[in-house]
Amino acid sequence: MDEGNGSAPNADDIAAMSFEQALGALENIVQQLERGDVPLDESITLYERGEQLRAACQKRLDSAQARIEKIVTGADGKPSGTAPLDGTD
């Protein structure tokens, strides 16, 4: 891996981003690609970077979802407690 190549997508800098930063960067890439005025080679690089950002955001969302608890309802339909969202104990 060439650490000196600043133009290549870098997973390390994505990992250092907050969710909001990664999502903002992804939105920026989508806007650039939707405009259609980016040269083909740059579009491919942007697409690859966008895919890395999308994967990082999805991983963070999956992690957050695993930590969220769901409300458990009793037979009467009223809340009776909570359980992990994934159903494991």
Side-chain angles (χ1 to χ4, degrees):
M1 180 179 271
D2 182 11
E3 294 177 4
N5 186 353
S7 63
N10 186 343
D12 290 338
D13 71 334
I14 293 173
M17 291 178 171
S18 69
F19 174 80
E20 291 77 11
Q21 290 170 325
L23 186 59
L26 179 57
E27 289 171 345
N28 185 22
I29 287 173
V30 169
Q31 290 173 358
Q32 289 179 59
L33 292 173
E34 285 180 342
R35 279 197 315 263
D37 59 356
V38 179
L40 179 60
D41 288 341
E42 188 177 342
S43 292
I44 293 169
T45 301
L46 284 170
Y47 179 84
E48 291 170 345
R49 174 78 170 175
E51 179 56 28
Q52 291 175 337
L53 288 162
R54 184 211 56 81
C57 287
Q58 186 64 53
K59 182 178 178 180
R60 290 183 183 146
L61 286 172
D62 291 345
S63 175
Q65 183 177 9
R67 293 177 12 215
I68 295 173
E69 293 184 332
K70 67 178 178 179
I71 297 173
V72 177
T73 56
D76 60 359
K78 295 183 179 179
S80 64
T82 62
L85 185 61
D86 63 6
T88 61
D89 291 329

